[in-house]
Amino acid sequence: MATRLGLDGHVTLLRHSGAVLLDAAARAGLGAPVPTCPAWDVRALVTHQGMVHRWAAAHLRGEKDHDPKTSVAAAQAAPDLLAWFADGLESLIGTIAATPDDAEAMVFLKDAPPPRRFWARRQAHETTIHSADSLAAALGRAPTASDVTIAPELAADGVDELLCGFITRGRGKLRTDEPYTVAVRATDTGDAWTLRVEPDALTTTAGARAGAQPDAEFAGTAAQLYLGLWNRGAELTATGRPDVLRDWRSQVRVRWS
């Protein structure tokens, strides 16, 4: 799974999305509900993302005894939760900068790039999606693609990570009794992916499948696909089998564990 962006692009996105998350969280207030994550308020959202930043940095530093519960406790005790989040973000960015290209560390997506590149990309998109959640809290609704400030090529990179890395893993993938094919098409960047969903496997191929008619297609701008496929927006267009988008919404979940 080759990354679409260089390391600097992912770090820039990580920093930008962290700032967006902070700004929206401050505007919404820590007690505000998060429409895109109904079980959370903003306090829980900020705590979660700050914990994940510290967890990622610990992996890059080779800290095998890191306990995420320690970060959650620190967040609960912090006199200023947003400052605590900002400190963790800066620490993660500094850790990425200090990590050698050949460093060894845990990675968890299929066909992942080397650890330094993997964690920069993963945390860039983790933070961007949760910045959309923070925006949802400030807006009182799910954000649209026009609400988020992510360039098309960055959004396409995030779609690629989701389709090629996340949903091809064992957890949270689409389930079916009868095989089917889904085409995913970004109308602004020209990127395309083909998903083959089978009872015991799900494979993603970058590019359109020549000479074959998919059973369903998801289309939209890269940002619309990014939000829609992460179940943060409803602007993508689904054609073909009507149950495919319904199953995506109900079955594709990426959860902390």
Side-chain angles (χ1 to χ4, degrees):
M1 182 179 63
T3 61
R4 301 292 189 91
L5 303 175
L7 179 71
D8 289 346
H10 286 129
V11 171
T12 297
L13 177 61
L14 170 60
R15 185 182 293 280
H16 170 76
S17 296
V20 171
L21 191 156
L22 276 172
D23 176 73
R27 287 190 284 118
L30 295 178
V34 181
T36 46
C37 296
W40 283 353
D41 59 12
V42 171
R43 181 181 298 278
L45 170 66
V46 173
T47 298
H48 169 80
Q49 187 61 84
M51 175 273 291
V52 173
H53 285 165
R54 288 162 171 81
W55 173 74
H59 277 299
L60 277 174
R61 291 193 296 264
E63 297 173 4
K64 299 185 183 301
D65 59 347
H66 177 79
D67 184 357
K69 293 179 182 177
T70 302
S71 296
V72 174
Q76 293 170 344
D80 185 337
L81 182 64
L82 298 186
W84 173 86
F85 174 90
D87 287 346
L89 175 63
E90 286 304 315
S91 177
L92 172 60
I93 291 171
T95 298
I96 292 170
T99 300
D101 287 333
D102 61 353
E104 295 184 2
M106 185 274 285
V107 297
F108 60 84
L109 294 188
K110 186 175 180 180
D111 297 328
R116 186 189 191 207
R117 298 291 303 277
F118 167 82
W119 284 105
R121 187 192 204 194
R122 178 77 292 278
Q123 290 310 300
H125 292 302
E126 167 91 5
T127 307
T128 301
I129 288 299
H130 283 317
S131 73
D133 293 328
S134 192
L135 278 172
L139 294 168
R141 58 168 172 81
T144 65
S146 63
D147 293 320
V148 300
T149 52
I150 177 170
E153 62 272 17
L154 304 183
D157 182 79
V159 172
D160 187 73
E161 186 202 44
L162 174 63
L163 297 183
C164 295
F166 265 111
I167 67 167
T168 53
R169 301 167 70 215
R171 295 180 181 178
K173 69 182 182 182
L174 294 170
R175 298 179 296 277
T176 185
D177 293 326
E178 297 183 7
Y180 64 88
T181 301
V182 185
V184 179
R185 179 170 56 89
T187 56
D188 51 350
T189 66
D191 288 292
W193 299 264
T194 302
L195 282 61
R196 180 65 177 169
V197 185
E198 299 178 282
D200 299 316
L202 188 156
T203 56
T204 299
T205 304
R209 189 176 180 183
Q213 182 66 30
D215 297 290
E217 181 186 72
F218 298 156
T221 67
Q224 288 171 339
L225 290 174
Y226 190 49
L227 293 176
L229 294 175
W230 276 104
N231 293 321
R232 261 63 178 195
E235 294 181 289
L236 63 78
T237 299
T239 55
R241 282 178 46 171
D243 60 319
V244 174
L245 181 59
R246 181 198 66 209
D247 288 350
W248 183 281
R249 296 284 187 235
S250 65
Q251 295 178 10
V252 176
R253 291 288 185 268
V254 177
R255 295 183 175 89
W256 171 261
S257 61

